[in-house]
Amino acid sequence: MRTTVGIVGAGPAGLMLALLLQREGIDTVVLEARSRAHVEQRVRAGLMEQWARDLMIEIGAGARLVREGLVHNGIRLSFDGRLHAIDFRRLVGRIVTIYDQKEVVKDLIGLLLARGGRILFEAEAIGLGGLAGPAPVIRFRDGDAVRELVCDVVAGCDGFHGISRASIPDGVLTVYERGYPFGWLGILSESPPPADELIYAAHDRGFALFSMRSPTLSRLYLQCAPDEDVSRWPDARIFDELAARLGGSCPLARGRVLQKGVTSMRSVVVEPMQHGRLFLAGDAAHIQPPTGAKGMNLAFADVVVLARALAAWTRTGRTDALDAYSRVCLDRVWKAQRFSWFMTQLLHRFPDETAFDRRRRQADLVDLVGSAAAATALAENYSGLPLAAAALEAAAPFSVSG
């Protein structure tokens, strides 16, 4: 097989990249190890920044998002027994939207296939070769056979445990990593959410997050030990603890628990995000704690930069935008890491926390709800920093809203 850009992974990053390149007339093939049914049911968080929502609409994949997505003007902070609103629309003129990532994937797959794009499901990439040359090769399983996809460029969009990053020789990448001494115990509950916007609760007992998937379906999280045994948490105990960490700031409805699991918390960034003709995007290059809601948004930002650079290269033969890919992306990635760390340390109770630390965190929370400048900084970062247009002058003229 032959294509211009071989894309490993049919998650949000790989699918969005394929659609952006298709719009520029650049041929792609997407290889996905799992079945279409599995990919379209894979549960992930689904908060979209303003510009990411605009991008979905712009490429023609936003009809269900506009119809079914839950628009939020901001978030609520819960502490000292009260709810405090941070109004993004008023502060920075932007919104965020709750829309399940699996629904995003469904929309992108449907659009790409309807437009004649090529996605090979149950095609597991097992090796990358020739990355330093002009014609990299992706070896993949196709049933009982092993086939090869020859391409000009490989986009590694296959997540943290995928083969793309693992194919880069030792010593090329610098890996920055930080683990956190807690996880999130999360449930999906058939119950109305306690508010019409996300609630981030800071409490002496630990952090809690009150999110939603619909007006009747809640996604709820509790700070817990990173190795927490879920069997120790029957439904009643979870709801009791959630109510306790709300601290009486608002009532909490209880419902039937549909899912239950523990999410680990860590930050990882690899530099550079490229090696030869291989370009990493999304979780293949960086992961961050979910407190800042940056995962899918950063993946989209990466592939917008990559698509622009590839469009410029195929039009003119110039490589300056491709050469700058990692630098441009990492500027945004590190800002997102800083914000995710800020939100995580602000809201969680650390095992070695002192009385001084607790009072300092309390002062940070009071400052956020009492200072327009502090609230604006949070709103800017949470709702999505604009894409760095100046750094992309040499690339294709996409009209993504900032």
Side-chain angles (χ1 to χ4, degrees):
M1 296 180 65
R2 186 72 172 82
T3 191
T4 303
V5 180
I7 300 173
V8 185
L15 294 167
M16 179 59 77
L17 177 61
L19 281 161
L20 292 173
L21 293 178
Q22 184 185 63
R23 188 167 67 169
E24 295 297 311
I26 299 172
D27 188 55
T28 68
V29 173
V30 181
L31 302 176
E32 170 53 49
R34 303 285 192 149
S35 68
R36 178 175 179 177
H38 177 90
V39 172
E40 291 184 340
Q41 293 301 318
R42 195 158 42 194
V43 176
R44 297 288 189 274
L47 187 142
M48 304 188 75
E49 297 172 352
Q50 172 80 65
W51 77 270
R53 171 193 169 95
D54 294 344
L55 177 61
M56 286 283 289
I57 296 168
E58 181 187 325
I59 65 168
R64 282 205 310 133
L65 167 62
V66 171
R67 188 170 63 249
E68 301 174 14
L70 303 178
V71 173
H72 289 191
N73 290 326
I75 60 172
R76 314 269 181 97
L77 298 177
S78 172
F79 63 94
D80 287 346
R82 294 177 55 200
L83 285 184
H84 308 266
I86 307 291
D87 190 330
F88 300 165
R89 190 188 291 271
R90 179 179 60 81
L91 291 165
V92 296
R94 296 200 290 267
I95 59 168
V96 295
T97 303
I98 299 293
Y99 189 61
D100 257 354
Q101 191 175 127
K102 64 184 176 66
E103 304 305 325
V104 172
V105 167
K106 287 178 188 177
D107 294 340
L108 296 178
I109 287 174
L111 182 61
L112 183 59
L113 293 178
R115 293 179 175 175
R118 291 186 288 173
I119 310 173
L120 303 184
F121 292 102
E122 299 181 83
E124 180 186 6
I126 57 174
L128 304 183
L131 298 176
V137 175
I138 307 172
R139 298 175 63 245
F140 66 96
R141 290 195 179 95
D142 183 11
D144 294 331
V146 174
R147 302 177 65 190
E148 291 187 346
L149 174 64
V150 182
C151 42
D152 297 323
V153 167
V154 177
C157 305
D158 50 345
F160 188 73
H161 299 289
I163 193 173
S164 296
R165 190 181 70 255
S167 298
I168 297 176
D170 291 343
V172 172
L173 298 178
T174 300
V175 180
Y176 299 91
E177 185 168 8
R178 174 173 184 165
Y180 293 88
F182 39 73
W184 282 5
L185 171 62
I187 65 168
L188 189 66
S189 167
E190 283 186 331
S191 58
D196 56 359
E197 294 175 342
L198 274 66
I199 300 175
Y200 287 79
H203 195 275
D204 285 345
R205 299 173 71 96
F207 167 73
L209 173 61
F210 301 82
S211 181
M212 68 283 291
R213 292 295 176 264
S214 76
T216 59
L217 202 60
S218 293
R219 187 70 168 153
L220 310 169
Y221 298 93
L222 288 168
Q223 177 184 346
C224 65
D227 57 351
E228 190 68 64
D229 182 358
V230 176
S231 67
R232 297 179 55 248
W233 286 87
D235 298 355
R237 182 188 176 193
I238 291 175
F239 278 107
D240 287 346
E241 189 63 27
L242 285 165
R245 295 188 191 185
L246 267 178
S249 61
C250 65
L252 176 66
R254 302 182 180 220
R256 185 166 68 96
V257 174
L258 305 177
Q259 296 173 0
K260 192 183 300 185
V262 174
T263 300
S264 62
M265 303 280 284
R266 58 179 171 172
S267 297
V268 181
V269 179
V270 300
E271 296 187 8
M273 291 170 54
Q274 59 195 99
H275 172 66
R277 292 288 183 94
L278 168 64
F279 297 84
L280 304 177
D283 286 359
H286 43 76
I287 58 174
Q288 45 287 317
T291 330
K294 294 302 172 198
M296 180 169 60
N297 299 291
L298 275 181
F300 277 0
D302 289 347
V303 298
V304 166
V305 175
L306 183 55
R308 292 183 178 202
L310 288 168
W313 174 59
T314 57
R315 282 199 320 271
T316 68
R318 291 171 53 186
T319 65
D320 48 340
L322 279 176
D323 295 340
Y325 167 73
S326 184
R327 175 180 56 79
V328 172
C329 289
L330 285 169
D331 179 68
R332 188 183 191 89
V333 166
W334 278 111
K335 289 175 182 176
Q337 290 287 358
R338 183 208 64 80
F339 179 68
S340 297
W341 171 86
F342 166 76
M343 292 288 285
T344 301
Q345 63 83 31
L346 172 72
L347 297 163
H348 291 74
R349 181 169 183 177
F350 283 72
D352 59 350
E353 186 173 83
T354 65
F356 178 90
D357 295 326
R358 286 195 294 276
R359 294 291 290 164
R360 178 194 54 78
R361 286 198 302 112
Q362 183 76 7
D364 278 341
L365 289 165
V366 171
D367 185 51
L368 272 176
V369 301
S371 164
T376 299
L378 187 150
E380 285 178 340
N381 282 272
Y382 196 106
S383 62
L385 298 173
L387 295 176
L392 300 168
E393 287 177 350
F398 288 3
S399 58
V400 176
S401 302

